[in-house]
Amino acid sequence: MKIIMLGAPGAGKGTQAKMIAEKCGIPHISTGDIFRANIKNGTELGAKAKGYMDQGLLVPDELVCDLVVDRIQQADCEKGYILDGFPRTIPQAKALEEALNAIGQKLDFALDIEVSDEHIINRMSGRRACVGCGATYHVIFNPTKVEGVCDICGDTLILRDDDKPETVEKRLEVYHSQTKPLIDFYAAENILAEIDGTQSMEKVFEDIMKILGV
Ligand code: ADP
Ligand code: AMP
């Protein structure tokens, strides 16, 4: 099963993608996680991406597309994958389509998690990310057992720089102008499914399972 996750920053794509990946036994590929790992490891790609990310802007398409196209051709993607945070622009969607056509594959589902901008601002200010393993939590909706400490690896939780309110506003603006057009793009391909992302995490997951037929 080949799935892409659409939705505003903070809509719950990562949260749901991890749950789907576990349930369906397919890899969760988050371009945001890949960039953050590169920044942490001090790579050239990380250095290039950081400036854009800190300002709430998208990393240029040419830095993202090849990376994803290579990743989805690795052995663990044979049974499928979930792309989380890619594509984010029409040129990225077209690059993905072209690459899939070349290897005789097609996407099965584009899951759009719908959450209004007002909800997003609250979600982002409460999101906490682990500096060690990248796991995400929410101070109210998905708290850790011990405040400020990751349940999975025990490392420290932080508020991501790009989750600060001024950057979130910029990211929402970028989402509306550059990423939202993908909804019509995938509706035209007949693979779009829309989910009410303001429901509890469990209910959102249940709705997704029905759509996937799992
Ligand atoms: P995205 O990957 O789309 O940027 P996340 O999955 O990281 O978003 O979710 C953003 C924040 O909202 C996180 O702190 C997460 O724990 C929380 N969250 C995710 N889904 C829900 C939900 N259905 N209800 C309340 N909070 C949620
Ligand atoms: P995310 O973790 O998905 O919210 O992504 C964090 C940041 O990484 C985004 O705000 C962008 O700056 C960058 N990023 C992640 N995925 C992409 C992509 N597909 N295209 C461009 N920039 C991206």
Side-chain angles (χ1 to χ4, degrees), residues 8-15 123 127 137-138 141-142 197 199-201:
K13 300 181 298 295
T15 302
R123 289 242 182 126
R127 172 157 68 180
Y137 301 91
H138 192 283
F141 306 123
N142 184 22
Q199 310 174 97
S200 69
M201 294 177 199

Side-chain angles (χ1 to χ4, degrees), residues 7-16 18 84 88 123-124 126-128 136-139 141-142 160 171 197-202 204:
K13 300 181 298 295
T15 302
Q16 296 299 325
K18 285 191 189 83
D84 162 16
R88 253 180 160 107
R123 289 242 182 126
M124 303 296 251
R127 172 157 68 180
R128 294 292 179 272
T136 49
Y137 301 91
H138 192 283
V139 289
F141 306 123
N142 184 22
R160 267 166 49 182
R171 293 171 72 197
T198 61
Q199 310 174 97
S200 69
M201 294 177 199
E202 294 74 23
V204 174

Side-chain angles (χ1 to χ4, degrees), residues 40-124:
K40 195 174 160 195
N41 295 328
T43 70
E44 200 180 316
L45 175 65
K48 284 185 185 157
K50 189 175 184 324
Y52 297 98
M53 292 170 74
D54 285 349
Q55 291 179 71
L57 300 173
L58 295 183
V59 172
D61 291 339
E62 58 272 22
L63 292 184
V64 191
C65 292
D66 291 351
L67 181 157
V68 175
V69 168
D70 282 352
R71 178 67 188 88
I72 61 174
Q73 294 185 69
Q74 287 173 18
D76 64 334
C77 291
E78 219 164 83
K79 280 197 291 173
Y81 43 80
I82 304 177
L83 291 179
D84 162 16
F86 183 94
R88 253 180 160 107
T89 64
I90 295 281
Q92 289 181 17
K94 289 188 173 158
L96 176 63
E97 195 170 46
E98 217 170 276
L100 290 175
N101 282 342
I103 53 176
Q105 293 187 3
K106 60 185 269 311
L107 293 173
D108 297 298
F109 295 98
L111 304 177
D112 173 35
I113 307 191
E114 291 271 337
V115 176
S116 70
D117 288 7
E118 299 85 83
H119 270 93
I120 295 292
I121 309 272
N122 286 335
R123 289 242 182 126
M124 303 296 251

Side-chain angles (χ1 to χ4, degrees), residues 16 195-196 199-210:
Q16 296 299 325
I195 301 114
D196 175 2
Q199 310 174 97
S200 69
M201 294 177 199
E202 294 74 23
K203 182 66 174 67
V204 174
F205 186 59
E206 207 181 297
D207 286 2
I208 292 176
M209 288 300 104
K210 276 190 203 136

Side-chain angles (χ1 to χ4, degrees), residues 143-163:
T144 46
K145 292 189 187 86
V146 179
E147 198 184 318
V149 178
C150 179
D151 285 349
I152 300 167
C153 74
D155 217 325
T156 312
L157 302 186
I158 53 154
L159 173 68
R160 267 166 49 182
D161 276 341
D162 63 345
D163 280 351

